[in-house]
Amino acid sequence: MTRQALKTGDLIELDQRVLPGCHLHRSALNDVARTEDLTFICTPKREDAGPTNNWMAPADAYARLGAIFDGSMRGRTMYVVPHLMGPADSPHSRAGIELTDSLYVALSMGIMTRVGRPALDRIDAAGDFVRGLHSKADLNPSRRFICHFPEEQTIWSVGSGYGGNALLSKKCFALRLAGPVGRREGWMAEHMLIMGLEDPDGRVTYMAAAFPSACGKTNLAMLEPPMSQMGFRVWTIGDDIAWLHVGDDGRLWALNPEAGFFGVVPGTSQATNPNAMRMIGRDTIFTNVLETPEHTVWWEGMGVEPPSRGLDWRSQEWNPGSGSKGAHPNSRFTAPTRNCPTISPEWQNPRGVPISAILFGGRRARLAPLVYEAFGWAHGVYIGAAMASETTAAATGQVGVVRRDPMAMLPFCGYNMGDYFAHWLEMGRRIRVKPRIFNVNWFRVNAQGEYMWPGYGENIRVLRWIAERCRGKGQAVETPVGFVPAEGSIDFDALDIPAETRQELLGIDPAAWLDEAEAVEVFLRTFDDCLPTAVLAESEKLRRRLARQSAPALPASQAWQPTSTR
Ligand code: OXD
Ligand code: MN
């Protein structure tokens, strides 16, 4: 199929001595990202999709898309791609079949999922599968739709070849369709990385983390500790999706249903993600990066000098003075999990791995401390529901606009998000040995707008505190928003961060948090009657704690007084 794709132009040959097994794909110019405005949940009742999803009645969707599909594959080859999500021997794995007229999609599915025999065996055993129908059709955005039919476990996607729209196993199946199934059956499908932190004694603490797209999930999942943190290591299980089940032991177990990584390329370098750099040196499909005259690849933020010329993602002559990007900002790598140098020996464990900590996070320049811990499960659900990220100039041209993105699931929750919050609360009742819930923020800036925290590999210092908290160690101070690390409990050695900045990194400003709590409540009330009262109750409790502490005009670092330590 690869040979075929090289003939049709779906793939472009790269230098196989430098990049063995690697190829380049260029998408249509208008087809470079997920299109949330063209993504629909097609349930009989609009309320079941909720206020955060686009909705279409199933009959209308079948008719509208059916007319576009009609004849759309004429003269093309249709690929039949049975795929299994999860390890072959796991009771939690599920199968799908995607029909597609895109060779690029078929090849990418071969990297991202377990295709062929294991899927067919599962379909035989289970008697069921998720039905995915995909056609590029004419790639016209006005005839582009991604429709989900939860009642029939069916996905129809037409008019796009972009991964998140067209690799139906990923966002469509493993999140939007699996979500409501999990709700019915008592498990969760989450937009989370899964990793293990091993300490010098060989103990591994498994964590799952949800951050909005483009907040560094892939980097954290493959983190390489700096020299100063010798003895610690990170094991990768997944970078995007977690299926979470309650085990017989009452713990929460996480499984990565995928078999590959579909990661953002720009910004990936030896400094930010050396393990990804090693991983994407072979067996990788690059999409929309720059092609050098030597038939290798380059992108902005690669950490090496740009070539003097090349072909940009649009296939146009490019040089460093062109004034445009060589690689598209959402250019991607598609690489098999088995090539990840930090892949955990447990990644195919049919049970998954037992989760001790759940991390939420986002990009907050001023508000959120580096890390804080929820007071308990319901408070953690509130923290997840209140999640938000601030836009960067690159994304929208507007800096600092807050976008609410509960549990990083806003574009991926296939049912009413109010019911989704209720499901989280219900899971808390089922999980006897609950993971602790944390919020992290690598993006806090000082008055000069400079990042106060170095991020990337140094984030391991925060993970270490989290792991210690999970073992009942790790000193913390109670603040109105949660427990923050006590003085000296995070290893800041060799970081050269002044004491004042350390305090500021962990400080909270009650007045700003009161404003935030109000904004969160306005957002949460959009879920009307579907919003569980327990979530609003957490909001009220937070406001009361903040009001007690509110003291005007104090610098952030001094604005709260510890009320107790643990
Ligand atoms: C992704 C995304 O591609 O979240 O994983 O957009
Ligand atoms: Mn994602």
Side-chain angles (χ1 to χ4, degrees):
M1 284 169 70
T2 300
R3 272 200 302 277
Q4 183 79 26
L6 288 167
K7 269 197 224 137
T8 58
D10 284 87
L11 293 184
I12 296 158
E13 182 85 288
L14 294 170
D15 184 338
Q16 294 299 299
R17 286 163 311 179
V18 184
L19 294 165
C22 293
H23 299 92
L24 172 64
H25 170 79
R26 288 199 185 94
S27 75
L29 301 189
N30 66 18
D31 191 26
V32 291
R34 284 186 291 103
T35 41
E36 285 167 24
D37 52 325
L38 304 174
T39 300
F40 291 81
I41 302 299
C42 306
T43 42
K45 283 195 287 187
R46 185 188 280 267
E47 310 85 88
D48 292 340
T52 57
N53 280 309
N54 299 315
W55 176 83
M56 225 191 279
D60 291 348
Y62 282 128
R64 211 158 152 190
L65 275 70
I68 305 171
F69 271 114
D70 198 7
S72 68
M73 295 187 184
R74 192 167 294 133
R76 297 182 184 165
T77 302
M78 185 176 77
Y79 299 89
V80 180
V81 190
H83 52 281
L84 184 66
M85 304 305 287
D89 53 354
S90 172
H92 305 311
S93 299
R94 282 160 196 258
I97 297 183
E98 175 165 352
L99 308 182
T100 178
D101 59 0
S102 163
L103 184 44
Y104 164 72
V105 165
L107 285 164
S108 301
M109 289 290 289
I111 297 175
M112 294 303 296
T113 69
R114 295 154 175 94
V115 293
R117 178 53 56 199
L120 293 170
D121 286 348
R122 179 60 58 117
I123 292 169
D124 278 346
D128 202 11
F129 59 92
V130 166
R131 296 134 183 83
L133 177 61
H134 169 252
S135 173
K136 295 182 288 185
D138 59 2
L139 293 175
N140 183 334
S142 65
R143 283 189 290 278
R144 180 174 295 163
F145 293 98
I146 298 96
C147 286
H148 304 73
F149 304 90
E151 309 245 310
E152 288 104 34
Q153 289 290 290
T154 293
I155 307 148
W156 280 18
S157 165
V158 68
S160 167
Y162 173 76
N165 292 336
L167 307 180
L168 302 185
S169 58
K170 193 173 183 59
K171 306 299 190 182
C172 302
F173 172 176
L175 289 175
R176 295 194 194 100
L177 285 191
V181 173
R183 178 186 175 213
R184 232 176 16 247
E185 297 178 356
W187 56 280
M188 305 161 97
E190 297 297 328
H191 189 204
M192 289 178 173
L193 68 88
I194 312 166
M195 47 151 273
L197 173 67
E198 183 176 328
D199 68 17
D201 296 327
R203 285 174 302 199
V204 183
T205 307
Y206 292 101
M207 310 179 186
F211 307 147
S213 306
C215 282
K217 284 211 327 278
T218 306
N219 293 345
L220 189 67
M222 296 175 196
L223 182 152
E224 182 158 281
M227 288 300 278
S228 65
Q229 302 291 306
M230 279 232 303
F232 291 92
R233 66 182 297 176
V234 163
W235 294 106
T236 310
I237 290 105
D239 80 328
D240 197 42
I241 297 174
W243 284 357
L244 300 144
H245 291 81
V246 185
D248 297 339
D249 57 359
R251 291 193 287 177
L252 187 63
W253 291 73
L255 186 126
N256 171 15
E258 300 191 281
F261 300 108
F262 179 64
V264 176
V265 176
T268 307
S269 70
Q270 280 302 336
T272 62
N273 194 339
N275 287 313
M277 289 301 277
R278 284 172 207 127
M279 175 175 81
I280 62 183
R282 60 196 160 109
D283 310 329
T284 295
I285 300 178
F286 292 96
T287 302
N288 289 343
V289 297
L290 180 119
E291 184 187 0
T292 70
E294 294 77 35
H295 305 293
T296 61
V297 288
W298 182 87
W299 52 84
E300 280 75 14
M302 190 183 191
V304 299
E305 286 296 304
S308 57
R309 63 186 189 85
L311 281 184
D312 72 7
W313 67 275
R314 284 171 288 223
S315 195
Q316 283 174 7
E317 277 295 337
W318 179 94
N319 65 57
S322 293
S324 59
K325 302 263 189 218
H328 187 277
N330 193 34
S331 52
R332 297 277 174 155
F333 58 74
T334 309
T337 307
R338 62 169 189 277
N339 284 357
C340 175
T342 50
I343 197 66
S344 163
E346 297 297 317
W347 89 275
Q348 309 233 53
N349 188 324
R351 292 178 81 184
V353 293
I355 295 296
S356 301
I358 291 175
L359 279 56
F360 293 126
R363 198 178 270 277
R364 298 308 297 263
R366 312 249 172 225
L367 190 81
L370 179 61
V371 57
Y372 62 96
E373 181 187 339
F375 294 122
W377 187 265
H379 180 219
V381 173
Y382 169 81
I383 291 172
M387 245 171 81
S389 212
E390 283 153 22
T391 53
T392 60
T396 62
Q398 281 177 301
V399 182
V401 178
V402 174
R403 268 202 204 143
R404 297 279 150 210
D405 189 356
M407 282 86 168
M409 282 290 280
L410 192 73
F412 309 121
C413 183
Y415 60 107
N416 192 311
M417 257 202 151
D419 295 333
Y420 169 78
F421 299 145
H423 181 48
W424 263 84
L425 292 166
E426 171 57 26
M427 287 298 292
R429 287 184 276 274
R430 285 164 171 264
I431 308 164
R432 247 183 312 111
V433 191
K434 292 185 213 351
R436 292 183 185 226
I437 300 181
F438 299 82
N439 194 87
V440 297
N441 177 24
W442 318 132
F443 301 96
R444 199 151 180 186
V445 300
N446 62 17
Q448 289 74 47
E450 299 152 347
Y451 287 120
M452 293 194 278
W453 179 248
Y456 302 113
E458 303 294 357
N459 291 337
I460 193 150
R461 298 168 190 262
V462 175
L463 302 182
R464 281 176 56 194
W465 181 77
I466 289 171
E468 277 166 26
R469 292 291 294 166
C470 293
R471 275 199 291 278
K473 303 206 169 109
Q475 294 297 303
V477 178
E478 187 178 331
T479 79
V481 307
F483 293 111
V484 301
E487 172 99 45
S489 63
I490 286 202
D491 170 11
F492 283 109
D493 276 3
L495 273 188
D496 200 22
I497 301 180
E500 213 172 89
T501 308
R502 290 183 207 171
Q503 263 194 332
E504 212 177 322
L505 263 171
L506 295 171
I508 67 134
D509 172 357
W513 272 88
L514 269 171
D515 290 347
E516 168 79 356
E518 248 169 61
V520 170
E521 233 174 86
V522 169
F523 170 71
L524 291 176
R525 288 195 189 280
T526 60
F527 298 101
D528 272 339
D529 295 347
C530 285
L531 182 71
T533 49
V535 177
L536 273 185
E538 286 301 323
S539 172
E540 271 150 36
K541 280 194 249 171
L542 171 64
R543 278 166 180 263
R544 274 204 299 275
R545 291 191 302 265
L546 287 163
R548 275 203 299 272
Q549 297 267 326
S550 195
L554 279 179
S557 56
Q558 294 162 29
W560 51 265
Q561 295 297 316
T563 53
S564 75
T565 47
R566 338 193 288 187

